[in-house]
Every structure is written in structure tokens, then in C-alpha cells.
């Protein structure tokens, strides 16, 4: 498909699911995909609020870049990443990403969200997302889907995913979005090349971190960034210290709560383990019993 055809398809998807009574909730991370959906929403002429969730562990370049986006709404969390680590009693890991839920995904309930999710970037690919994804009250949503004959499949997260923008899918979204987390993913089938070509075509100046070799924009120290974290902490040593202090406080709180742990005795030890071992081997339950 040519870029123009991809663009037209994405615009058609955005128009198809536009809520009647309020603007879309456009999830803006500061990365390349969120710039694409921001431009597409303007091209489609759909009403939308552009919302960025500040995580407190964002790179300073991202914070400055996001502030430069016109009409952006920046949402600040009640608790910082460092406080969350203490409260949760374990560092965030690839499998236990409580930080994403608490810092990025909690708001926007009852709104139809536009996301920049793409198969090319997500591990679960087609099994976890499609053009529309609905999470929440699985029994109720499945029952309604059956009633109206909407085509869907259920994934591991108990979400319903639909791959087209026909009338039945539209009715599903209209019926469900107030009580579920409903996401429209207009560029789900775009490749990296499509994204960069599109941004170039529209003269979009991207987050400067891409010029420094980053290929994903996320928090510094994000467990999803794998070995790139070593580079991140070399460039931003202050954030390394913030994690170590948070882990120190986390261990103290665990001890105060009577939750002894043999895994780490200090923030430094915990940080080393977090970087070098496979933290996904443990769960909250393991920690409780440690
Ligand atoms: S981007 Fe990574 S570190 Fe940041 S909130 Fe999401 S999972 Fe957590």
C-alpha cells in the first residue's frame, strides 16, 4: 500500500469511531508514533484532546519536546515513579509493569482513546491488538458482541479486538466505551518506514532523542529497554541515583512492614540485580515469601 493509501485508511478509521458527544482522548507519548496520530487526527478533522502523561522518569529532552507541542495537555501523576517503587515493594519489571498502569494508563477511562500502537513495535502483535481494542467487563462485552454479530476475538488480557471499521464494530465501541478501556489504533499496520516517511512528508520535527540513537521513547531505566538501559544510565547518572534511593527506601519499608527479603540488602544491590539478573523470574508472591 502506498503512503497516501495508508494515510487515507487511517483517516477513515479515525472518522469511523469518532465519539458523537465528546473529543477523542489522543495518547501522546512524545515518540514518533504519537506524532503520526496527532497529524492524522488533524487531517481527519476529528475532535481530539492531546494528552501526555508525565511519568517523572522521562528524559529531560522528552519533557522539553512535549512542552513544545501545540494544545498539549500534560497530566502529572499523584505519585512519582520513586514513590510507586516504595509503595509496590518491588522494582518494575518487564512482566510487572505497574508503573505504566499507574503513570500512563489510568486516566481517560470512559473516553475513546487514539493510540499509536503498531504491530511492528508490540510483542504480542495481532494477538494483542488490532484496529480496535476493548478491555473491561469481558462477559458483558462478549455478550453484546454476540448479540449484534460483531466479529471479534478475545485475547489473553481479556480484551476484545476487532479488525475492521464496519457498522457492527462502530456499534460495539459506541455501546462499550463508557464502561471499558476502548482504544482505536489507526496505524496498527504501519511499518517503521511508513512512520518515518509520513513524518518527513509533513515536515514533523521529532523528539531529539531519535537523533541520539534512541529507537523507542520511554522512561529512563524502563525495563522494556533491555541493554539500552546501560547507555541511558551512563548519560543520565542522576536517574540511576534516583532508582538506587527509591530501592533503598523500598527495602526499608519492606522491613518495617515485616517483609524480610533475602534478595537484596541495599538499594545498590537491588539496582545491580535489577540490571543484571532476570527480575521476571520473581513475582510479588515470591517476594512476600522471601
Ligand atoms: S515506559 Fe517503561 S518505565 Fe515508563 S511507565 Fe511504562 S513500563 Fe514503566
Amino acid at each position: 500500500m502506498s503512503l497516501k493509501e495508508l494515510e487515507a485508511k487511517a483517516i477513515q478509521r479515525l472518522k469511523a469511531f469518532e465519539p458523537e458527544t465528546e473529543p477523542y482522548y489522543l495518547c501522546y507519548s512524545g515518540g514518533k508514533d504519537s506524532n503520526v496520530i496527532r497529524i492524522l487526527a488533524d487531517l481527519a478533522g476529528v475532535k481530539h484532546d492531546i494528552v501526555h502523561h508525565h511519568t517523572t522518569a522521562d528524559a529531560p529532552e522528552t519533557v522539553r519536546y512535549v512542552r513544545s507541542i501545540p494544545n498539549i495537555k500534560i497530566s502529572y501523576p499523584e505519585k512519582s515513579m520513586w514513590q510507586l517503587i516504595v509503595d509496590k515493594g518491588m522494582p518494575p519489571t518487564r512482566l510487572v509493569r505497574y508503573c505504566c498502569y499507574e503513570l500512563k494508563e489510568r486516566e481517560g477511562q470512559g473516553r475513546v482513546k487514539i493510540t499509536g500502537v503498531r504491530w511492528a513495535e508490540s510483542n504480542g502483535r495481532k494477538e494483542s491488538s488490532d484496529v480496535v481494542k476493548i478491555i473491561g467487563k469481558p462477559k458483558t462485552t462478549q455478550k453484546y458482541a454476540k448479540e449484534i454479530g460483531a466479529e471479534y476475538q478475545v485475547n489473553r488480557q481479556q480484551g476484545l479486538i476487532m479488525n475492521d471499521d464496519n457498522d457492527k464494530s462502530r456499534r460495539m465501541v459506541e455501546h462499550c466505551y463508557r464502561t471499558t478501556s476502548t482504544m482505536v489504533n489507526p496505524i496498527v499496520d504501519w511499518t517503521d518506514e511508513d512512520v518515518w516517511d509520513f513524518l518527513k512528508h509533513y515536515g514533523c520535527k521529532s523528539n531529539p532523542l531519535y537523533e541520539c540513537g534512541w529507537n523507542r521513547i520511554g522512561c529512563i531505566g524502563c525495563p522494556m529497554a533491555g541493554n539500552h538501559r546501560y547507555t541511558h544510565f551512563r548519560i543520565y547518572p542522576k536517574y540511576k541515583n534516583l532508582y538506587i534511593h527509591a530501592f533503598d527506601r523500598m527495602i526499608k519499608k519492606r522491613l518495617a512492614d515485616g517483609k524480610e527479603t533475602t534478595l537484596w540488602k541495599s538499594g545498590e544491590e537491588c539496582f545491580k540485580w535489577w540490571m543484571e539478573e532476570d527480575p521476571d523470574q520473581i513475582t510479588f508472591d515470591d517476594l512476600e515469601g522471601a
Side-chain angles (χ1 to χ4, degrees):
M1 221 186 271
S2 73
L3 195 58
K4 272 288 144 202
E5 286 167 329
L6 277 173
E7 178 186 308
K9 183 109 189 111
I11 287 174
Q12 181 196 337
R13 288 167 175 165
L14 286 174
K15 285 183 171 168
F17 295 104
E18 184 180 11
E20 276 183 14
T21 53
E22 64 186 347
Y24 272 123
Y25 186 99
L26 190 149
C27 306
Y28 186 83
S29 69
K32 59 187 183 308
D33 303 322
S34 55
N35 274 329
V36 173
I37 53 172
R38 185 172 63 83
I39 296 170
L40 282 170
D42 279 342
L43 291 171
V46 294
K47 289 197 230 45
H48 57 282
D49 294 325
I50 308 171
V51 188
H52 171 75
H53 291 261
H54 180 80
T55 68
T56 67
D58 305 288
E61 289 85 348
T62 300
V63 175
R64 282 193 291 272
Y65 178 73
V66 165
R67 286 190 190 137
S68 76
I69 300 298
N71 302 319
I72 189 98
K73 290 181 185 170
I74 301 178
S75 166
Y76 295 91
E78 273 174 33
K79 288 182 184 174
S80 66
M81 173 73 93
W82 328 113
Q83 187 56 44
L84 271 181
I85 288 171
V86 178
D87 290 356
K88 296 288 179 184
M90 72 177 283
T93 69
R94 288 172 72 90
L95 292 183
V96 189
R97 275 178 287 152
Y98 56 77
C99 44
C100 244
Y101 173 71
E102 299 279 350
L103 301 172
K104 288 182 155 188
E105 295 163 6
R106 227 155 58 146
E107 283 185 26
Q109 300 299 329
R111 303 278 301 271
V112 184
K113 294 180 183 171
I114 307 176
T115 84
V117 164
R118 291 186 299 117
W119 292 326
E121 286 224 324
S122 57
N123 295 334
R125 294 177 66 91
K126 258 189 168 285
E127 295 81 51
S128 63
S129 274
D130 216 307
V131 175
V132 178
K133 180 169 175 178
I134 299 175
I135 301 178
K137 303 210 168 155
K139 282 197 181 135
T140 323
T141 41
Q142 279 175 59
K143 189 165 166 254
Y144 185 69
K146 275 193 186 124
E147 258 168 50
I148 65 169
E151 274 182 35
Y152 68 91
Q153 65 190 92
V154 182
N155 71 4
R156 273 175 302 165
Q157 303 155 293
Q158 292 294 297
L160 289 178
I161 59 178
M162 296 180 289
N163 68 356
D164 53 35
D165 53 7
N166 64 21
D167 273 347
K168 287 171 184 166
S169 300
R170 266 170 248 163
R171 277 171 62 198
M172 272 299 288
V173 169
E174 200 50 46
H175 182 81
C176 298
Y177 79 90
R178 288 286 180 207
T179 54
T180 62
S181 189
T182 301
M183 284 149 278
V184 176
N185 309 313
I187 59 167
V188 73
D189 43 1
W190 288 33
T191 63
D192 282 6
E193 208 184 350
D194 298 329
V195 166
W196 287 120
D197 287 350
F198 180 86
L199 294 176
K200 193 170 164 211
H201 178 77
Y202 285 99
C204 177
K205 204 170 173 321
S206 294
N207 188 318
L209 288 176
Y210 288 117
E211 285 164 28
C212 305
W214 290 50
N215 48 21
R216 269 185 105 125
I217 304 297
C219 301
I220 292 169
C222 174
M224 304 303 282
N227 284 338
H228 292 293
R229 292 189 298 168
Y230 288 99
T231 316
H232 297 171
F233 286 129
R234 240 192 334 270
I235 303 170
Y236 306 102
K238 213 175 120 193
Y239 285 74
K240 177 179 171 183
N241 291 337
L242 283 166
Y243 278 104
I244 291 173
H245 287 314
F247 294 158
D248 261 328
R249 290 194 293 129
M250 174 192 85
I251 292 168
K252 281 198 185 104
K253 180 163 185 300
R254 287 185 61 82
L255 291 173
D257 292 346
K259 294 175 184 165
E260 177 68 40
T261 173
T262 52
L263 280 173
W264 349 271
K265 294 288 175 220
S266 68
E268 287 270 5
E269 260 182 50
C270 183
F271 183 82
K272 194 166 180 293
W273 168 87
W274 186 55
M275 294 291 286
E276 292 174 7
E277 303 293 325
D278 184 1
D280 287 323
Q281 296 301 319
I282 61 152
T283 64
F284 278 102
D285 290 343
D286 292 336
L287 278 172
E288 296 314 306

